[in-house]
Protein backbone atom coordinates (compact mmCIF):
# COMPACT_ATOMS: atom_id res chain seq x y z
CA UNK A 1 0.00 0.00 0.00
CA UNK A 2 1.44 3.30 -1.10
CA UNK A 3 0.35 5.75 1.59
CA UNK A 4 1.59 8.68 -0.49
CA UNK A 5 -0.34 7.54 -3.56
CA UNK A 6 -3.48 9.03 -4.98
CA UNK A 7 -6.88 8.60 -3.39
CA UNK A 8 -9.10 7.26 -6.15
CA UNK A 9 -12.82 7.99 -6.13
CA UNK A 10 -14.96 6.10 -8.63
CA UNK A 11 -18.26 7.96 -8.64
CA UNK A 12 -20.58 8.94 -11.48
CA UNK A 13 -22.72 11.42 -9.51
CA UNK A 14 -21.30 14.94 -9.90
CA UNK A 15 -22.91 16.17 -6.66
CA UNK A 16 -21.22 13.35 -4.73
CA UNK A 17 -17.93 14.09 -6.50
CA UNK A 18 -18.21 17.70 -5.42
CA UNK A 19 -18.94 16.73 -1.81
CA UNK A 20 -15.97 14.31 -1.74
CA UNK A 21 -13.80 17.03 -3.24
CA UNK A 22 -14.80 19.52 -0.54
CA UNK A 23 -14.27 16.95 2.22
CA UNK A 24 -10.75 16.16 1.06
CA UNK A 25 -9.98 19.85 0.61
CA UNK A 26 -10.99 20.54 4.23
CA UNK A 27 -9.14 17.49 5.57
CA UNK A 28 -6.04 18.73 3.73
CA UNK A 29 -4.43 15.36 2.97
CA UNK A 30 -1.30 15.52 0.85
CA UNK A 31 -2.51 12.74 -1.48
CA UNK A 32 -3.70 13.63 -4.95
CA UNK A 33 -7.46 13.06 -5.36
CA UNK A 34 -8.36 11.36 -8.66
CA UNK A 35 -11.98 11.02 -9.83
CA UNK A 36 -13.38 8.56 -12.37
CA UNK A 37 -16.95 8.61 -13.68
CA UNK A 38 -17.12 4.87 -14.34
CA UNK A 39 -15.37 1.60 -13.62
CA UNK A 40 -13.77 1.28 -17.06
CA UNK A 41 -11.85 4.54 -16.62
CA UNK A 42 -10.75 3.48 -13.13
CA UNK A 43 -9.66 0.03 -14.31
CA UNK A 44 -7.48 1.54 -17.04
CA UNK A 45 -5.84 3.79 -14.43
CA UNK A 46 -5.35 0.98 -11.91
CA UNK A 47 -3.87 -1.44 -14.44
CA UNK A 48 -1.25 1.09 -15.57
CA UNK A 49 2.13 -0.16 -14.38
CA UNK A 50 3.12 3.28 -13.12
CA UNK A 51 0.13 3.78 -10.82
CA UNK A 52 0.02 2.78 -7.21
CA UNK A 53 -2.77 4.61 -5.42
CA UNK A 54 -3.27 4.69 -1.67
CA UNK A 55 -6.97 3.79 -1.50
CA UNK A 56 -10.03 3.38 -3.72
CA UNK A 57 -13.50 4.64 -2.79
CA UNK A 58 -16.03 3.20 -5.23
CA UNK A 59 -19.72 3.59 -5.84
CA UNK A 60 -21.55 0.41 -6.87
CA UNK A 61 -24.15 1.64 -9.35
CA UNK A 62 -22.32 3.15 -12.30
CA UNK A 63 -22.53 2.97 -16.09
CA UNK A 64 -20.30 0.79 -18.28
CA UNK A 65 -18.54 -1.18 -15.52
CA UNK A 66 -20.24 -1.07 -12.12
CA UNK A 67 -18.42 -1.17 -8.80
CA UNK A 68 -18.93 -4.91 -8.25
CA UNK A 69 -17.60 -5.75 -11.72
CA UNK A 70 -14.68 -3.38 -11.24
CA UNK A 71 -13.77 -4.98 -7.90
CA UNK A 72 -13.98 -8.46 -9.42
CA UNK A 73 -11.60 -7.50 -12.23
CA UNK A 74 -9.18 -5.86 -9.79
CA UNK A 75 -9.27 -8.87 -7.47
CA UNK A 76 -8.54 -11.22 -10.38
CA UNK A 77 -5.57 -9.12 -11.55
CA UNK A 78 -2.48 -10.29 -9.65
CA UNK A 79 -0.44 -7.15 -10.47
CA UNK A 80 -3.08 -4.91 -8.90
CA UNK A 81 -3.82 -7.30 -6.03
CA UNK A 82 -0.14 -7.35 -5.01
CA UNK A 83 -0.20 -3.57 -4.59
CA UNK A 84 -2.53 -4.14 -1.59
CA UNK A 85 -4.72 -1.14 -2.40
CA UNK A 86 -7.63 -0.89 0.06
CA UNK A 87 -10.90 -1.00 -1.88
CA UNK A 88 -14.00 0.42 -0.19
CA UNK A 89 -17.57 0.70 -1.38
CA UNK A 90 -19.42 3.96 -0.71
CA UNK A 91 -22.99 3.69 -1.90
CA UNK A 92 -26.45 5.08 -1.20
CA UNK A 93 -27.93 1.91 0.32
CA UNK A 94 -26.78 -1.32 1.89
CA UNK A 95 -29.02 -4.15 0.77
CA UNK A 96 -27.87 -7.36 2.44
CA UNK A 97 -27.34 -9.10 -0.90
CA UNK A 98 -25.05 -6.29 -2.10
CA UNK A 99 -23.04 -6.35 1.14
CA UNK A 100 -22.57 -10.14 0.93
CA UNK A 101 -21.60 -9.89 -2.74
CA UNK A 102 -19.10 -7.13 -1.98
CA UNK A 103 -17.37 -8.99 0.82
CA UNK A 104 -17.22 -12.14 -1.30
CA UNK A 105 -14.99 -10.07 -3.62
CA UNK A 106 -12.61 -9.27 -0.75
CA UNK A 107 -13.40 -5.60 -0.29
CA UNK A 108 -12.04 -3.91 2.80
CA UNK A 109 -15.16 -1.94 3.71
CA UNK A 110 -18.75 -1.18 2.76
CA UNK A 111 -20.21 2.19 3.75
CA UNK A 112 -23.48 4.00 3.15
CA UNK A 113 -22.74 7.55 2.00
CA UNK A 114 -23.80 10.00 4.69
CA UNK A 115 -25.98 12.75 3.29
CA UNK A 116 -24.60 15.42 5.63
CA UNK A 117 -21.23 16.96 4.80
CA UNK A 118 -19.90 16.82 8.38
CA UNK A 119 -20.85 13.15 8.71
CA UNK A 120 -19.04 12.29 5.46
CA UNK A 121 -16.02 14.29 6.55
CA UNK A 122 -15.86 12.48 9.90
CA UNK A 123 -16.18 9.07 8.26
CA UNK A 124 -13.53 9.79 5.61
CA UNK A 125 -11.16 11.03 8.33
CA UNK A 126 -11.55 7.81 10.33
CA UNK A 127 -11.07 5.63 7.24
CA UNK A 128 -8.00 7.44 5.91
CA UNK A 129 -6.33 7.55 9.34
CA UNK A 130 -6.99 3.83 9.80
CA UNK A 131 -5.30 2.98 6.49
CA UNK A 132 -2.45 5.42 7.15
CA UNK A 133 -1.66 3.42 10.30
CA UNK A 134 -2.13 -0.01 8.72
CA UNK A 135 0.94 -2.03 7.74
CA UNK A 136 0.96 -3.83 4.40
CA UNK A 137 3.36 -6.53 3.19
CA UNK A 138 5.03 -4.49 0.46
CA UNK A 139 5.71 -1.36 2.55
CA UNK A 140 7.13 -2.73 5.78
CA UNK A 141 10.44 -0.94 6.40
Amino acid sequence: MNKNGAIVIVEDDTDDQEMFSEVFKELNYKNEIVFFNDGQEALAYLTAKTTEPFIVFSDINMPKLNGMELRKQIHENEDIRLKTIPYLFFTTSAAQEAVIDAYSKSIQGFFVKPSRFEDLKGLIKIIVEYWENCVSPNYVK
Side-chain angles (χ1 to χ4, degrees), residues 9-126:
I9 302 171
V10 190
E11 172 61 67
D12 63 324
D13 185 295
T14 54
D15 291 336
D16 286 347
Q17 285 183 8
E18 190 173 307
M19 193 151 74
F20 272 114
S21 190
E22 285 300 313
V23 162
F24 281 106
K25 184 177 178 182
E26 282 195 19
L27 291 173
N28 199 31
Y29 293 118
K30 303 297 181 225
N31 308 70
E32 176 186 10
I33 309 302
V34 180
F35 285 95
F36 295 100
N37 292 314
D38 64 66
Q40 282 184 333
E41 293 174 1
L43 186 62
Y45 174 83
L46 293 168
T47 55
K49 298 287 184 199
T50 57
T51 351
E52 196 162 343
F54 170 40
I55 193 168
V56 174
F57 292 93
S58 177
D59 191 12
I60 292 176
N61 301 311
M62 295 179 293
K64 298 182 186 175
L65 186 68
N66 71 40
M68 292 290 188
E69 294 163 338
L70 172 61
R71 177 59 189 163
K72 182 178 185 286
Q73 289 196 29
I74 288 170
H75 187 65
E76 292 173 352
N77 182 312
E78 188 175 359
D79 289 338
I80 300 173
R81 198 171 58 246
L82 290 174
K83 293 178 184 178
T84 61
I85 304 163
Y87 192 98
L88 310 171
F89 278 124
F90 258 70
T91 190
T92 53
S93 66
Q96 185 179 18
E97 184 179 315
V99 175
I100 291 168
D101 191 21
Y103 279 101
S104 75
K105 293 175 177 55
S106 299
I107 61 153
Q108 286 76 37
F110 193 112
F111 301 90
V112 174
K113 292 179 214 170
S115 57
R116 290 188 46 236
F117 179 83
E118 288 302 319
D119 294 339
L120 179 62
K121 182 178 163 184
L123 184 55
I124 294 291
K125 185 177 189 304
I126 290 167

